[in-house]
Amino acid sequence: MKNTLQNHIDKEIPFLKQKKLLLAVSGGLDSMVLLDLFLELEYDITIAHCNFQLRGVESFGDQKFIQDYAEAHAIPIFVTQFDTEAFSKDYKLSTQVAARELRYNWFYELLDTEKFDFILTAHHADDNLETFLINLTRGTGLEGLTGIPEQNDKIIRPLLFSSRLEIENYAKQHNIQWREDSSNASDKYLRNKIRHHLIPVLKELNPNLITSFLKTESYLQESLAMVEDAAVMVYQQVASEEGDTIHFDLNQLLKLPNYRSYLYQWLKEFGFTAWNDIYDLVDSQSGKQVFAVDFRLLKDRDFLILSPIIHSETQKEFFVNENQTEVKIPLNISFSKVTDISVATNKTIFVDADQLVYPLLLRNWKTGDVFMPFGMDGRSKKVSKLFKDEKLSLIEKENTWLLCSNDQIVWIVGMRADHRFRTTNATQNILKIDLI
C-alpha cells in the first residue's frame, strides 16, 4: 500500500513533496494508517488532534494515545479540546456539523499561524461511497454524486483511492495500533445506518462494489467537468460584468432549451437555495427579487441582475472638508478651485463655492429626497422620479450617491447637478467637482 500511495502522489498530487503537512489524526484506524504511511514515506508531517469531549473518558483516552504515539516517534503534535455540545447548542447545529466546523476552523488557524502548506485527512473510498448514498437519498444534482473531492482548497484526501478493507489489512500486516470509536457502532447517525445495513447488501450483490463505484465516480467527474466547461462558454454569450454586478441577458438566456441548468451552474456559488423562485424570476415582472445571505438576483426588464447585498451596517455617510482636494471612498471624486468654466458633463460639474456649507456629505439616496435639477429654473423634482425617467434598476438606485450641503442636494453624482448651486455672473469662487 505504501508503494501504491507513493505512485498515486507522484501521478495525482505531486505538489505534496517537500511541503509542510498537517495530518488530522483522531486515533482511529484510518487516520493511524495515514499517519504510518506518511511517516514511512518520510514526509514533513505534524499531527493535529481534536478532543471533542463527546465520549467522556474515551475521548481523553484517544488524546493520550495520540500524544504517546507522537512522543514515541518524535512527531510534532498540536492538541485542542472543544466543548462541542455547548457549541452545538449555542449555534443550533447538529453535533456532527458542530464538530466539523470546530475542527476545520482550528485546522485553518494552524495552517495560517504555523505556516503549514496542506491539511491531510484520512477519508477513503468507503467514506466516499457513503457520502454518495447520503446525497442520493436526500436528492442531489450531479455535483452531489461526484462525492468527496481529493483536494478542496488546502485540504487533501490522499487515501480516497483505497477501500476500508485495504486500510484494515495494511494495519494488521504492519501491527498498527488504533482506537475504536464506540459511537461508530451506533445507528443514531444516517451515515452509520448506511454503513451497517445498506452497503453490506450492496456488497453482497456486487463483491467488487468499491471498484465499480470508483469507476462511476470517475465518469461522473468527467461529466461534471464537461458541464462546467459548457457553462463557461455560454456565460460569455449571456452575461456581462460591471464591477461586482452581473447582468444576464434574458433574450439570450431564453434561447437555451436548458437555461435552468445554466442558471444553477452560474449562481450556485453565491449561496442561493430557492431554485424554483429563481427559475420563476425569468417570467416575473420587473422588480421581483430572490435573496441569498450576501447576494440577490433582481428581474429588471430584459435582464436578471446579480449583485452583493449592501448590509445596513456597511452603509455609511462620508464627509468632505473644505480644504480636501479629493476623496477615494466611496467614490473617487476630486475638488479644485478654478477661475473659469469649461463644458459641464454628467461627471464634471461647476458650483458656486460660496453657496456651500461644510462639511459636505456623501450619502446614499433615500426615499423622499427632492432636488432642483439644473436647467429647470428652480422647479423641484423627486430623485425617485429622475431614477424612473432614467430607467435605473433597483440596484443602480441603491448604488447612487448624493453630494449634499446642509441637507440640500448639490449633485446626484454622475447624473444631475442642482440648480441652487449653479454658477452665475455674480459668482466669485468656482469649485470644479470631478467624478474620476
Side-chain angles (χ1 to χ4, degrees), residues 336 338-342 344 349-356 374-375 410 417-433:
S336 57
V338 296
T339 56
D340 58 0
I341 298 173
S342 57
I349 65 168
F350 298 87
V351 301
D352 187 332
D354 295 327
Q355 300 299 316
L356 300 174
F374 182 80
V410 177
D418 192 287
H419 185 80
R420 290 168 290 189
F421 298 90
R422 71 192 185 285
T423 59
T424 66
N425 291 333
T427 298
Q428 296 182 2
N429 296 298
I430 302 172
L431 183 67
K432 180 184 179 183
I433 308 177

Side-chain angles (χ1 to χ4, degrees), residues 45 53 85 93-94 120 152 183 186 215 243 339 357 373 383 410 436:
I45 59 173
Q53 304 188 74
E85 289 184 345
L93 301 171
S94 71
L120 269 57
N152 183 10
S183 67
S186 169
K215 287 181 180 178
T339 56
V357 177
V383 175
V410 177
I436 301 173

Side-chain angles (χ1 to χ4, degrees), residues 10-22:
D10 292 341
K11 183 179 179 181
E12 303 295 339
I13 41 178
F15 50 81
L16 288 186
K17 298 173 184 177
Q18 310 303 318
K19 298 298 183 182
K20 188 177 179 183
L21 306 177
L22 183 67

Side-chain angles (χ1 to χ4, degrees), residues 128 131-132 135-136 139-149 213 217 220-221 223-225 227-228 231 261 264-270 272 275:
N128 210 353
T131 299
F132 172 93
N135 291 339
L136 183 65
T140 186
L142 185 56
E143 272 191 333
L145 297 178
T146 55
I148 305 170
F213 169 70
E217 283 292 278
L220 288 171
Q221 288 165 5
S223 298
L224 180 59
V227 167
E228 290 173 343
S261 298
Y264 174 80
Q265 288 296 320
W266 298 330
L267 298 174
K268 63 186 179 181
E269 65 184 274
F270 296 99
F272 290 98
W275 294 108

Side-chain angles (χ1 to χ4, degrees), residues 187-392:
D187 283 347
K188 177 180 177 182
Y189 303 112
L190 175 60
R191 182 176 292 273
N192 285 358
K193 288 181 181 179
I194 289 174
R195 180 182 302 166
H196 298 155
H197 305 290
L198 178 56
I199 290 179
V201 174
L202 294 176
K203 287 184 176 179
E204 184 179 335
L205 294 172
N206 178 9
N208 296 316
L209 176 66
I210 294 298
T211 301
S212 300
F213 169 70
L214 289 174
K215 287 181 180 178
T216 299
E217 283 292 278
S218 176
Y219 300 149
L220 288 171
Q221 288 165 5
E222 290 173 1
S223 298
L224 180 59
M226 194 161 53
V227 167
E228 290 173 343
D229 289 344
V232 170
M233 294 173 62
V234 176
Y235 179 88
Q236 295 169 353
Q237 303 169 21
V238 173
S240 59
E241 299 179 3
E242 299 176 14
D244 54 6
T245 300
I246 303 173
H247 289 69
F248 298 99
D249 187 335
L250 290 176
N251 291 322
Q252 294 297 320
L253 181 69
L254 292 177
K255 293 178 182 178
L256 305 170
N258 51 347
Y259 71 85
R260 293 185 175 193
S261 298
Y262 287 107
L263 282 176
Y264 174 80
Q265 288 296 320
W266 298 330
L267 298 174
K268 63 186 179 181
E269 65 184 274
F270 296 99
F272 290 98
T273 56
W275 294 108
N276 287 334
D277 292 341
I278 287 176
Y279 304 146
D280 291 344
L281 203 60
V282 170
D283 298 314
S284 298
Q285 63 185 30
S286 288
K288 292 286 186 180
Q289 303 177 78
V290 177
F291 294 90
V293 174
D294 295 311
F295 292 88
R296 65 170 163 192
L297 191 65
L298 167 71
K299 169 70 178 296
D300 183 62
R301 294 181 290 274
D302 292 330
F303 291 90
L304 295 181
I305 304 175
L306 175 70
S307 68
I309 294 174
I310 302 174
H311 296 288
S312 58
E313 62 268 19
T314 64
Q315 294 179 331
K316 298 179 180 179
E317 296 180 338
F318 299 86
F319 293 96
V320 182
N321 296 317
E322 186 170 4
N323 296 322
Q324 274 186 253
T325 59
E326 66 176 356
V327 294
K328 297 289 188 181
I329 299 174
L331 302 170
N332 196 348
I333 300 176
S334 68
F335 302 84
S336 57
K337 293 181 179 179
V338 296
T339 56
D340 58 0
I341 298 173
S342 57
V343 177
T345 67
N346 286 345
K347 293 190 175 183
T348 300
I349 65 168
F350 298 87
V351 301
D352 187 332
D354 295 327
Q355 300 299 316
L356 300 174
V357 177
Y358 287 91
L360 303 180
L361 174 67
L362 268 169
R363 65 169 174 82
N364 290 115
W365 161 74
K366 300 175 183 177
T367 302
D369 277 332
V370 175
F371 78 121
M372 294 182 181
F374 182 80
M376 287 184 62
D377 298 325
R379 286 176 291 169
S380 64
K381 182 175 185 175
K382 287 187 175 182
V383 175
S384 59
K385 181 64 167 63
L386 174 69
F387 290 164
K388 185 176 181 180
D389 293 343
E390 296 292 330
K391 297 183 178 179
L392 297 190

